[in-house]
Amino acid sequence: MAEQLVELNVTGMHCNNCAMSIHKLLEKKGLHDVLVSFASEEVKFSTDDQSILPQIIKDIEGLGFKVVDEENIQPTPFYEKVENKFIFCAMFTAPLLLHMVFPWHFLHNPIVQLILCLPVFAVGCLHFGKSAYSSLKNGTPNMDVLIFVGSASAFIYSLVGTIEHLGGNYLFYETCATIITLVLLGNVFEKRSVNQTTSAVKDLMKFQQVNANRVINGSVEVISAKEVVSGDTLLVNEGDLVPVDGEILSGDALINEAMITGESIPVAKTKYDKVIGGTILQQGNIRIMATKVGSNSTLSQIIDLMKKAQAAKPPVQKLGDKVASIFVPVVILIALATFAITYLATDAGLQRSMMHAIAVLVISCPCAMGLATPTAVMVGLGRAAKNGILIKGGDTIEAVANTKYVLFDKTGTLTTGKFSIHDIKPEEGFTMEQIRGVIVAIEERSNHPIARSMVAELQSLTQQKVILRTVKEEKGLGMRAEDVDGNNYFLGTAKHKSLDNFNLTLYRNQVRMAQIAVDDTIKPDASGLIAQLKKDGIIPVLVSGDKKTRCATVATALGIDEVHPEMLPDDKLKVVDMYRKKGKTIMIGDGINDAPALTQADVGVSMNDASQIAIQSAKVILLNTDLQSVVKFLQISRHTLLTIKQNLFWAFAYNIIAIPVAALGFLNPMVGALAMAFSDVIVIGNSLRLKVKRVNR
């Protein structure tokens, strides 16, 4: 039986350690293609045995998480919301802290302090204790173990002091309550920040939640876009979101495709043109036939690719994950060592030794290391998507760093793919008007891109066309025709070597009428792109299957020094390999012949209007055909990697400095809890800067 992809929505994950515990569980079960994202609360894996699914769900819930049905997601109960837990705990913690400021005798009463602390400790046990126990049971202790051990130690120590009437020096109820309350506050900020990091995907998903006007027997019914099936006729009015991918049956419209391409200028659409679900019809009214619906739609595929990309780990994350996985046991050992050394080697006494150990536990933060990479990747991918750049994997971002070469295909990449006539050279005895008349009469019968371009260019210049009786297209050669007077014409590929710059010839009755030079035009922003790459120290290279002279013309016009013309797909592979040995290499192309090279390069970049094979082979898709998207992609990738490194540096530096400081007794456990609570927020906040940060530096 073929393996099927299973997708589950799992709530309760609040950091990368949580995701790692589920990931390890599923790998132990022998499942494949496991992807776990704590931010989007999604778990994916492949299995050929669907019968094990109930047990898998039970095992995940056994870790302390909850598997929910996406279609029937119930709102989080009031008492389970982390914001409400924080408010509840803060109400009891505040009076406990007041006794340190005001000399109110009843607040110093051990029983009063116990009564105030007990509700907070109960919430802490349910919130942190359950997660801590589940993580220990699974063999991947998380940060909640440290929080629970630290707060429980303070509570038990204080409880013993109360029962034994040992006096105020043994009462640390405020420490226990404050640790729990401050960490919950950190969780509140963390939750809100993480929600912002995944906003790009959520924004795209909103475009799917629209209604559609389905036309049946002349009447219109309003249905959900999810109910549309392929082949339905839909009415889209001015101001509406296009509900699904389709083809225009009637009407004209201006459609804003910014959410797909990043291009804010509306695109004119008419009969037979394709429209994309989620785009906005700014002007006009159209009827469309639904062609791609559900998971096959462009928007669904983009969302799916973005989710997979956010879950794909760059190599730089492996260090953070590795340290985070052994971090908790190491910190517990340091805390025990701190207690033992302080108690046995100094005269600090039991309470100070214990406070030092608790400070070590609550100030350490493995979550910061776990959050450092995924939050930056999510924001970076989201910003790229809003600029019309779809990056298929978080690992691609790191692969772009230190790029040395960018290899370009010519046609459709650096050039528009729309052909124009550069020159027509009439032979003796034939006029330009005659030649134009024959070209237009013959080529308007062809659907070839060159033919359509030539007709569009010459139509207005032609006074009189030849009247043709028959026209026949010979694949790979050209067009043959016969006019009403019995003259035979041939318009096709130039074969003579002296005609290298003139790639088409026109014959009448086997006598050459003219030589024609046709070529596609260079994209207006191509020269700016090449100049920017050179400025950044990246060497541009032209790799094309086209003729040497035409490649040389384009390369000279753009300032590209390294040119490889007349390349077959196998040849392009060899060229990519050659450059990869010299340095990091990006390949940008759009045709079927580019697919192997796109796969072979360190990073393959495909244009949106490329062949499907090229899009599947590439790691990056430019949804906007504007070539400046290439520069934007490099800039966003560079700054995303820089943000990851900044986050990891902070996470490691914070723990390396904070733990020894706490162990030496320079930090109160409450201050430690506050520092730990906000270390995650600092990491996420730095990642969120990517949303607005200037990247063109």
Side-chain angles (χ1 to χ4, degrees), residues 40 47 97 100 104 135 142 176 191 193 209 293 309 316 399 414 424 457 466 484 510 518 537 571 582 598 620 658 675:
S40 59
T47 178
L97 289 174
M100 301 171 70
W104 298 337
S135 71
N142 61 17
C176 169
K191 179 184 173 185
S193 300
Q209 298 162 5
V293 298
V316 73
L414 291 175
I424 297 177
E457 193 171 342
V466 175
V484 291
Q510 299 183 339
V518 176
D571 299 324
K582 298 180 184 179
L598 290 172
V620 179

Side-chain angles (χ1 to χ4, degrees), residues 571-638:
D571 299 324
K572 287 188 177 183
L573 265 181
K574 291 171 186 172
V575 171
V576 169
D577 272 337
M578 179 183 76
Y579 281 103
R580 282 189 73 190
K581 288 173 184 174
K582 298 180 184 179
K584 286 281 184 71
T585 301
I586 293 176
M587 172 73 192
I588 305 177
D590 74 326
I592 291 173
N593 62 327
D594 298 318
L598 290 172
T599 305
Q600 186 76 0
D602 291 303
V603 176
V605 179
S606 168
M607 313 302 284
N608 182 43
D609 50 2
S611 70
Q612 193 61 33
I613 293 175
I615 288 174
Q616 288 170 357
S617 303
K619 289 183 180 177
V620 179
I621 302 167
L622 303 181
L623 300 174
N624 188 342
T625 52
D626 177 1
L627 278 174
Q628 284 305 309
S629 294
V630 176
V631 174
K632 186 68 77 175
F633 159 61
L634 293 172
Q635 290 171 339
I636 290 173
S637 296
R638 199 176 300 127

